[in-house]
Amino acid sequence: MKSFSYTYIFAAVIAALVGYAIFDENQSEKATQAQAEAEKIFAVTANDAVLISVTRPSETMVIKHEKGQWSLSEPLVDEIEAEAGTAYSESMANEKATPVFKEKKGDINWANYNLSPPGAAIEITKSDGGKISFSVSKMAAFDGSYFIRRGDELLLGSTGWARVLEKGSNQLRSKKVLRQSGTITKIRIENSLPENKDKFTLVRNEDKTWRVAEAPALEIDAEKVQSYIDN
């Protein structure tokens, strides 16, 4: 009987140890997640940002987020492809940084950290009207990381901040040639290449078929025309 008792006791101890290990692992995961959140520069999701102003030595860029669409308002007014705008805002929202000093330091010579002037001064306006401001050093440290100034606090950011510094209005603006919405009903094509000299006009019929204005009897593949427009 004693051997059975020892077996039950041993099993109970093992179960308790396994349970504690699982509990401890869950607590560690929660602590790690909390620490990761605490290391983010600002607690704002990419979709919660309605205005992002980035002032760099070369330009001041302002992008807006309205009704799920990103657009440029400075230094020029232009469209931004949705994927590019979201990726840019998320690159800032997901980047992390850690304090350089454990205790609050007095006067900091920001020039020593390439933050006076900075490489980029960023201001984010949230949907509730609140604003978040911080600066990124104009040069990377020896290991490729960047210094961040948030108020009077000095932080050390990852190498990912290089992408924020490199992105300007020319990189974000839409590259699409056809910007206007609506249905295309006529296309005039003039080719002057030596191997393909041709001039003709494609016209869309009411039944969504297409014809060549200069040769109405010529049969046209509507799918190929649509593919041509999409491309």
Side-chain angles (χ1 to χ4, degrees):
M1 293 294 292
K2 288 185 178 181
S3 60
F4 283 108
S5 299
Y6 289 140
T7 301
Y8 288 137
I9 293 172
F10 180 73
V13 170
I14 294 298
L17 289 174
V18 171
Y20 177 78
I22 294 174
F23 171 80
D24 184 59
E25 183 179 355
N26 290 337
Q27 292 299 108
S28 298
E29 288 181 358
K30 290 180 180 179
T32 301
Q33 291 174 358
Q35 179 66 17
E37 289 297 323
E39 291 176 350
K40 288 185 178 182
I41 296 297
F42 53 91
V44 178
T45 62
N47 291 329
D48 195 32
V50 297
L51 194 74
I52 301 177
S53 173
V54 182
T55 301
R56 303 184 301 157
S58 58
E59 68 172 7
T60 294
M61 178 179 69
V62 178
I63 62 176
K64 297 188 298 183
H65 189 214
E66 295 178 320
K67 298 179 180 178
Q69 179 62 46
W70 292 93
S71 63
L72 272 168
S73 59
E74 290 185 39
L76 73 165
V77 177
D78 201 355
E79 295 179 7
I80 295 178
E81 293 183 28
E83 297 82 1
T86 300
Y88 183 69
S89 59
E90 286 181 347
S91 68
M92 286 189 283
N94 294 329
E95 283 298 333
K96 301 178 179 65
T98 54
V100 173
F101 306 109
K102 292 183 179 180
E103 298 180 359
K104 189 172 182 180
K105 197 173 175 63
D107 295 335
I108 297 176
N109 188 344
W110 300 105
N112 291 341
Y113 302 96
N114 291 305
L115 282 162
S116 182
I122 301 170
E123 183 180 80
I124 298 174
T125 303
K126 301 189 296 181
S127 56
D128 62 3
K131 296 180 183 293
I132 298 172
S133 301
F134 59 95
S135 301
V136 183
S137 60
K138 60 184 175 182
M139 292 178 62
F142 69 94
D143 61 350
S145 56
Y146 283 81
F147 290 106
I148 310 292
R149 179 179 181 178
R150 184 174 58 189
D152 292 328
E153 187 180 13
L154 179 63
L155 307 169
L156 184 63
S158 68
T159 58
W161 286 103
R163 295 191 296 270
V164 176
L165 294 177
E166 292 168 357
K167 290 285 185 181
S169 57
N170 284 336
Q171 287 74 35
L172 288 177
R173 60 188 301 194
S174 176
K175 306 299 188 297
K176 289 184 178 179
V177 176
L178 297 179
R179 305 291 189 84
Q180 298 174 342
S181 60
T183 303
I184 296 176
T185 58
K186 182 185 292 187
I187 306 174
R188 174 65 179 172
I189 300 174
E190 296 187 11
N191 290 326
S192 57
L193 297 173
E195 67 279 9
N196 185 21
K197 291 184 178 181
D198 200 1
K199 297 180 181 180
F200 59 96
T201 305
L202 290 170
V203 180
R204 188 174 187 267
N205 301 316
E206 292 183 0
D207 59 357
K208 299 182 181 180
T209 59
W210 289 84
R211 71 179 188 276
V212 176
E214 294 81 0
L218 184 65
E219 186 174 346
I220 299 297
D221 189 330
E223 290 185 1
K224 289 184 178 179
V225 175
Q226 189 58 50
S227 177
Y228 181 78
I229 294 171
D230 292 339
N231 290 334

